Amino acid sequence: MWGIDDDEMTQEELALAGIDALKDFILEIGLPTTLKELGAKEEQLKEIADSCGISQGSYRQMTHKEILEIFKECYR
């Protein structure tokens, strides 16, 4: 997929190459890549984090603080 030659790649190298290829595709077609580009305001991040349900069935349960930090990273 994505035209990646995986003959001599480790699974990690292949995964990272796939992530890079997806990023390049997203940029090529002009999709927003940050919450800021999507139109969110920085002061809205807490409210957005507050609206997230914390599911017991998740791989790893996240705290509200962790969710807010992820949104802050996604805003930049």
Side-chain angles (χ1 to χ4, degrees), residues 20-65:
D20 285 340
L22 177 59
K23 180 186 99 180
D24 291 343
F25 175 72
I26 288 170
L27 292 171
E28 181 181 324
I29 63 173
L31 289 177
T33 58
T34 66
L35 290 173
K36 186 175 187 176
E37 289 177 5
L38 195 58
K41 305 292 182 215
E42 193 166 8
E43 58 270 10
Q44 291 177 298
L45 299 180
K46 184 180 180 316
E47 182 180 349
I48 295 170
D50 289 345
S51 71
C52 292
I54 299 176
S55 172
Q56 295 294 329
S58 300
Y59 173 75
R60 177 184 165 287
Q61 188 171 357
M62 297 174 65
T63 66
H64 180 270
K65 182 178 177 181

Side-chain angles (χ1 to χ4, degrees), residues 61-76:
Q61 188 171 357
M62 297 174 65
T63 66
H64 180 270
K65 182 178 177 181
E66 291 170 320
I67 293 169
L68 181 56
E69 286 303 312
I70 289 171
F71 283 136
K72 286 179 181 178
E73 286 293 320
C74 293
Y75 182 78
R76 300 181 191 131

